[in-house]
Amino acid sequence: MTGTGTWIAYVGPFRFPWGEPGSRRVFGLAQSMAAAGRDVVVVSGESGPKTPVTVSTAGAGLLRHVGAGERPSADASIVSKAVQMVVRLGERTVRWLDEQPTRPECVVVYGGGAQYMARVGRWCRRNGVALVADVVEWYAPHQMPGGALGPPHLSAKFALRHQYPRCQGIIAISSLLERHYRERGGRVLLVPPTLDVFEVKPGGHAVTTEAGPLNAVYFGTPGRKDLLTTIIRATDAVSRRTPVTLSVYGPTVEQVRDLLDGADLPSSVRVPGRVPQQDVEGIVRNADFSVLVRPSERFTHAGFPTKFVESLACGTPVIANLTSDMGRYLQDGRQGFVCVDHSSTELERVLRRAAMLPRSQHEEMRVAARATAESSFDYRRFAQPVAGFLDSLHGRRYAIDGTTGPAVARTRRSRGDDIT
């Protein structure tokens, strides 16, 4: 199905090209590979398309998509879903790889945990194909169903600590992950979230005037990362004296009320709910600021919020505290405003400051936000680094038993400076 010649398989049980934050990550990185001259087939978790369809022809390479059917159907029983996601995950991806007339030059894995990684890793070892892990998180136990001893957390932890370091290469989304794997002898490339910035239509002017309300937006699924409760309560407190509104896209009204311990929504907050990912761009573009507040913990510094990149690409300044590598791209008063911590009191102070911002300065912020996105997050920016990284993998094999591939720096782990 892939024809002849060299190509890359980008595999995982994710949705593609839309459906979850990982969809954007995979799309951007695959576009960089195609721009570098590689033919890329994204093998996602959906049941279709059955044969590769062209997604993008930008650049010298070709980007196509096929579904391996790793994700259970919505009407499957709980038992069937558990068996597929815990016991059999990866079987269909390996079967698809076996069916191809030519072997890929490398396989890039996004997500799936230990079972998925083990199956794909064994296939790569048997076939002499390089394996690359695209690492975007370091999960905390409370983020996963079942906590520290639950199968999802144990699976993710085993992959992060033992399987990924044995890959021929690692693509890390943050400098924290880059340092971690580089110190363990890995060949690592740092690539933040990317997208086709020049396809995103930026807002051309400040939306409100000095006399109008500040129109802030939160979008996404808060999960256990984003402090949406803090954002809502800070907005409510500020709105009593300063005109400010907050629109929350993603969670339902019921989910937001649960976060507020059952309390009614403040009058300054509206919750339109979930919208198609394709509609997010227009929503963010028409806001004055997007707001993102996260606790300063290891898992928030290991990841990198895609919504931050999307907001800058829309030319919408960001109000946020600095986690991960955001401090490289968000300067206070330039691309938005920086909260010195994640407290409600600090966010209230910054929201009041934003509400008093003159229109001319807001327009300058919008221009700076867009310029930062163009220079730092467009997928074309990483085409050459990705090409060099992929070229460096030739001749390297996946070390499923730790006997080949990059050395693992056991001395560093023995000192106790591993991420746990």
Side-chain angles (χ1 to χ4, degrees), residues 165-379:
R166 293 172 178 164
C167 292
Q168 289 63 61
I170 291 172
I171 301 175
I173 201 169
S174 67
S175 58
L176 184 151
L177 291 172
E178 178 194 27
R179 288 192 304 270
H180 173 75
Y181 287 110
R182 197 178 297 281
E183 288 172 356
R184 279 141 189 84
R187 190 178 298 262
V188 188
L189 177 67
L190 173 61
V191 181
T194 57
L195 65 155
D196 190 344
V197 174
F198 295 96
E199 272 202 353
V200 177
K201 181 181 178 182
H205 59 278
V207 178
T208 61
T209 65
E210 288 89 336
L214 177 76
N215 173 25
V217 64
Y218 168 88
F219 62 101
T221 303
R224 295 175 180 174
K225 286 184 182 179
D226 302 345
L227 299 177
L228 181 55
T229 303
T230 297
I231 297 172
I232 290 174
R233 289 175 174 163
T235 301
D236 180 40
V238 172
S239 68
R240 295 168 189 172
R241 293 188 177 182
T242 305
V244 56
T245 62
L246 173 71
S247 298
V248 177
Y249 290 89
T252 64
V253 172
E254 291 73 21
Q255 289 171 327
V256 173
R257 289 192 63 190
D258 286 343
L259 293 174
L260 300 174
D261 298 324
D264 292 334
L265 295 177
S267 59
S268 58
V269 177
R270 56 188 294 266
V271 182
R274 186 173 179 82
V275 297
Q277 190 171 348
Q278 300 92 317
D279 295 345
V280 170
E281 177 185 319
I283 292 167
V284 177
R285 182 172 58 243
N286 289 319
D288 294 318
F289 288 88
S290 66
V291 185
L292 178 61
V293 178
R294 292 182 164 184
S296 182
E297 297 186 27
R298 182 179 56 211
F299 67 88
T300 59
H301 290 287
F304 194 118
T306 302
K307 64 189 74 178
F308 173 76
V309 175
E310 292 173 328
S311 186
L312 295 188
C314 291
T316 300
V318 179
I319 294 173
N321 63 315
L322 299 180
T323 58
S324 187
D325 296 325
M326 288 168 56
R328 298 181 178 185
Y329 313 103
L330 178 59
Q331 300 167 285
D332 188 63
R334 182 161 173 78
Q335 298 90 354
F337 290 117
V338 174
C339 300
V340 298
D341 58 38
H342 59 272
S343 68
S344 178
T345 301
E346 172 62 7
L347 180 56
E348 290 173 28
R349 180 190 70 82
V350 173
L351 285 172
R352 290 189 181 96
R353 183 182 173 196
M356 300 299 293
L357 189 70
R359 183 186 180 96
S360 60
Q361 292 183 27
H362 191 189
E363 290 177 343
E364 291 174 1
M365 275 191 181
R366 298 186 77 95
V367 171
R370 173 66 180 200
T372 297
E374 291 179 2
S375 63
S376 301
F377 299 117
D378 186 77
Y379 77 86

Side-chain angles (χ1 to χ4, degrees), residues 127-155:
N127 291 277
V129 174
L131 181 62
V132 174
D134 181 13
V135 188
V136 301
E137 301 276 3
W138 196 284
Y139 298 100
H142 71 268
Q143 292 180 276
M144 310 292 280
L149 298 180
H153 179 253
L154 294 175
S155 174

Side-chain angles (χ1 to χ4, degrees), residues 38-49:
R38 261 62 176 193
D39 286 342
V40 184
V41 180
V42 174
V43 186
S44 71
E46 298 111 324
S47 58

